[in-house]
Amino acid sequence: MGKHKKEILFTLMILAAAAGLWLATHHGSGTVAVVRYGDPQVEQRIDLRKDADYDIDTGTYTVHLHVENGGIAFVNSPCPDHLCEGFGILQNAGDWAACMPARTSITIEEK
């Protein structure tokens, strides 16, 4: 194999590895949303690989969560201040959001 072909093969291998890493970190594979709510706290784990909507009765409010393209967000909040909607889409390990009036938090964790 010539030097030029080896360089092309090496470049393709690096690009494939980079694409795999990007998919793993940007499309929810390997991550889960951990939703904690209520008093006493209940924990629900939501797989971010499947687009879906969740309505969770926290005992105070029913929070609405939307999962799409590997991320999750509070949507159409019934609480008075709607601050939780401002957190936007959570998709990377360590991302966190809360709706204090509903006593609900979301944390993104590795599976």
Side-chain angles (χ1 to χ4, degrees):
M1 186 181 281
K3 182 179 179 183
H4 185 64
K5 287 183 181 179
K6 285 182 182 178
E7 289 174 352
I8 291 174
L9 182 60
F10 179 73
T11 301
L12 290 175
M13 289 173 47
I14 295 295
L15 289 173
L21 182 61
W22 183 84
L23 285 171
T25 59
H26 289 88
H27 288 285
S29 63
T31 57
V32 63
V34 180
V35 181
R36 293 177 180 93
Y37 59 92
D39 187 16
Q41 288 279 283
V42 175
E43 183 175 292
Q44 180 174 343
R45 300 176 81 76
I46 298 175
D47 188 336
L48 297 180
R49 293 176 295 180
K50 181 180 177 189
D51 294 353
D53 291 305
Y54 297 87
D55 297 325
I56 298 175
D57 182 359
T58 69
T60 308
Y61 294 100
T62 298
V63 295
H64 307 288
L65 305 175
H66 179 71
V67 176
E68 185 175 10
N69 297 325
I72 189 168
F74 285 100
V75 293
N76 302 318
S77 178
C79 61
D81 58 17
H82 299 272
L83 293 176
C84 54
E85 295 172 9
F87 283 96
I89 299 169
L90 311 173
Q91 63 185 23
N92 298 310
D95 287 354
W96 177 88
C99 179
M100 297 309 289
R103 298 183 188 149
T104 303
S105 68
I106 304 170
T107 305
I108 306 301
E109 296 180 358
E110 295 292 329
K111 281 188 180 177

